[in-house]
Amino acid sequence: MSQPHRRAAPPHATDVLLWLLATDVAAQHLADPDRPGHCANLRCHKETYPCAPARDAYRACRTATRPTLLARGRARVIAPATAAARFAGWFRPNPPQQRPTSARRAA
């Protein structure tokens, strides 16, 4: 029987699986309290903190969440008539072109 995951994804997470994996990796790669500036994970024994897996996990966590919207209010939409007036006169019909007549050859 599978057990539920120990963390629930926040509502602003757009990619839940990526967020869960990133938080698991970030929880495993924390700073070592006994050796400042080093990772506590045994796989990163001699690496400085934040190690490459921790940096990747933080980047993945930011990627998996919805970005904060900076703009507020409504978008300004140009009326179709105004937009069409901007392009008036750009396209004019071409006069019909006549095909050159080929001279008949004598057989």
Side-chain angles (χ1 to χ4, degrees):
M1 179 184 265
S2 65
Q3 295 179 351
H5 203 277
R6 64 183 170 272
R7 280 184 294 276
H12 62 276
T14 55
D15 190 345
V16 176
L17 181 60
L18 180 63
W19 187 87
L20 290 172
L21 291 172
T23 55
D24 284 343
V25 171
Q28 294 299 319
H29 291 269
L30 297 173
D32 192 356
D34 298 332
R35 297 180 315 143
H38 290 285
C39 183
N41 194 306
L42 292 177
R43 292 183 180 177
C44 305
H45 177 66
K46 295 189 179 192
E47 291 188 36
T48 60
Y49 184 80
C51 59
R55 286 191 306 266
D56 291 342
Y58 294 136
R59 187 178 311 127
C61 199
R62 283 192 310 266
T63 303
T65 55
R66 187 176 301 127
T68 306
L69 298 176
L70 299 177
R72 297 285 181 213
R74 294 183 164 213
R76 190 173 142 237
V77 179
I78 300 172
T82 308
R86 288 181 31 203
F87 299 109
W90 280 31
F91 305 103
R92 296 188 181 162
N94 292 333
Q97 296 180 355
Q98 295 180 353
R99 293 186 192 177
T101 56
S102 59
R104 294 187 179 195
R105 294 186 185 180

